[in-house]
Amino acid sequence: MLDFVVCVGGIYVCFLTWSALQERVTTAAYGADHQRFRFTIVLNLLQAMAGSLVGFVYIRAIQRKPMLQMTKHRWKRFFQVALLNSTASPFGYMALRYINYPTMTLAKTCKMVPVMLMNKVLYRRHYPAYKYAVVAMITAGVSAFMLFKSNSKKGGIEAMENSLYGLFLVLINLAIDGAVNSTQDQVFAEDKEITGQHMMCLMNLCSSALMALWLLNPFNPELSSALTFLYSHPRALVDIGMFAVCGALGQCFVFYTLASFGSLTLTTVTVTRKFLTILISVFYNGHKLNPRQWSATGLVFSGISLDVYMKQMAKQAVVK
């Protein structure tokens, strides 16, 4: 239980900071010329490199364990996960060109649905009935909370920010993310020697290799354009560095949670973290919740309570 609490706390602290930096890096106008950093593959490469390095240091310096002995099959599985993961992220960043950050956060709160769907479709996994109730309650509650929030933006601006095309990109991102999580579950299930830290280090290493190959393509100007941008706008480099470090530290907690408790539990934690971000924003900025939003809040925490209660009952039944 203590492990789970530490994991949740680490994910919340690291990724609350990471989310703020992600929004800044992808939406802020840097310099006197007010240019935005639009080089998403470079951003993902830096994040993957930081994640792989932190994962390696964690295994060797903190756990004091040798690295995983690699086989052809293991490399194939890690590159499979890496390819899916590298493909998913750009769709999320592209979506921010058409929808605002809160709208994307709202859409991503429904991630539990593709995670369960991909696990059932790809690997024929089955879940107890209460899991479906928990997923439905949390997804419906978070969605209702955001949908019931008053918005002063009207007309063309609102139509642009809530573009159906942007939401379509988020749905693609979520579908691929669901395949990533379910494939990671399968890797852990079929190879017990692989830990969460191995997944973090080696998946990010493979992702870095794939993205580096793409960026070094002589017909792709993104790398040179990104370097020129960062040279002209050093403040962006500071934000990106902090973003990569927070993401890498957060991944330590994410992959430990994934290996120890499974992808659906991890998704529950990350979804509720997003909901907590919304609540903190509401109270910090002095906003008032209407009755429908309080009802949505109650629905989310009822779903979380149901999940915790059923897990505890299952553990007690095993002990008996």
Side-chain angles (χ1 to χ4, degrees):
M1 186 62 182
L2 180 61
D3 285 356
F4 182 71
V5 172
V6 171
C7 286
V8 171
I11 289 172
Y12 279 12
V13 171
C14 291
F15 282 107
L16 286 174
T17 308
W18 180 86
S19 296
L21 289 167
Q22 182 189 43
E23 183 173 9
R24 176 172 175 79
V25 169
T26 54
T27 63
Y30 290 100
D33 52 353
H34 302 290
Q35 294 295 310
R36 292 187 178 185
F37 187 83
R38 299 182 181 277
F39 311 103
T40 56
I41 303 299
V42 172
L43 189 62
N44 285 335
L45 173 62
L46 294 173
Q47 176 75 87
M49 291 171 63
S52 182
L53 178 61
V54 170
F56 178 79
V57 171
Y58 186 90
I59 293 169
R60 299 293 291 148
I62 298 178
Q63 292 185 325
R64 298 185 182 278
K65 293 181 178 179
M67 282 301 294
L68 188 69
Q69 292 295 317
M70 296 302 294
T71 63
K72 183 177 179 181
H73 177 71
R74 283 176 171 170
W75 278 120
K76 179 181 177 181
R77 294 299 270 164
F78 281 118
F79 268 106
Q80 180 185 3
V81 178
L83 180 61
L84 288 169
N85 187 61
S86 301
T87 305
S89 296
F91 286 102
Y93 288 119
M94 283 191 292
L96 286 172
R97 300 178 187 178
Y98 304 96
I99 58 176
N100 57 27
Y101 198 81
T103 303
M104 188 175 76
T105 302
L106 163 65
K108 286 198 170 187
T109 57
C110 302
K111 185 179 177 180
M112 291 180 181
V113 177
V115 168
M116 290 184 68
L117 179 63
M118 289 298 176
N119 266 307
K120 287 187 70 67
V121 172
L122 296 178
Y123 303 110
R124 301 294 189 267
R125 284 203 175 91
H126 298 283
Y127 296 98
Y130 82 87
K131 283 288 187 183
Y132 295 96
V134 169
V135 167
M137 292 169 71
I138 293 177
T139 301
V142 178
S143 300
F145 180 90
M146 289 296 293
L147 290 172
F148 292 150
K149 184 178 179 181
S150 59
N151 192 340
S152 59
K153 293 185 177 183
K154 302 294 182 183
I157 296 178
E158 185 176 17
M160 177 188 70
E161 291 182 336
N162 294 281
S163 162
L164 289 176
Y165 182 63
L167 293 176
F168 175 70
L169 292 174
V170 176
L171 289 176
I172 295 175
N173 172 265
L174 288 177
I176 301 175
D177 263 351
V180 170
N181 289 146
S182 57
T183 302
Q184 287 171 332
D185 277 348
Q186 185 67 17
V187 171
F188 288 129
E190 69 184 19
D191 193 334
K192 299 299 182 183
E193 291 185 29
I194 297 176
T195 66
Q197 288 70 39
H198 290 140
M199 178 64 72
M200 174 182 175
C201 177
L202 293 167
M203 183 197 76
N204 280 304
L205 178 64
C206 294
S207 294
S208 299
L210 291 171
M211 287 184 283
L213 286 173
W214 174 256
L215 290 170
L216 292 173
N217 174 4
F219 299 102
N220 184 1
E222 181 172 344
L223 181 59
S224 59
S225 298
L227 292 175
T228 301
F229 181 95
L230 293 174
Y231 181 79
S232 304
H233 306 86
R235 175 61 194 178
L237 184 60
V238 174
D239 289 341
I240 291 170
M242 293 174 61
F243 165 80
V245 169
C246 287
L249 293 176
Q251 283 186 55
C252 290
F253 296 103
V254 164
F255 282 106
Y256 185 86
T257 304
L258 181 66
S260 301
F261 305 103
S263 64
L264 193 61
T265 297
L266 173 62
T267 304
T268 304
V269 173
T270 54
V271 166
T272 51
R273 185 266 302 173
K274 292 171 185 175
F275 187 74
L276 180 63
T277 303
I278 296 168
L279 285 181
I280 290 174
S281 177
V282 166
F283 288 110
Y284 181 78
N285 293 307
H287 299 305
K288 293 183 179 180
L289 300 183
N290 59 49
R292 291 184 297 179
Q293 285 180 302
W294 281 118
S295 298
T297 304
L299 183 59
V300 169
F301 285 101
S302 295
I304 297 170
S305 300
L306 174 62
D307 192 32
V308 172
Y309 173 76
M310 294 302 294
K311 285 179 180 177
Q312 189 63 32
M313 292 295 292
K315 288 182 179 179
Q316 290 179 359
V318 170
V319 171
K320 291 179 180 180

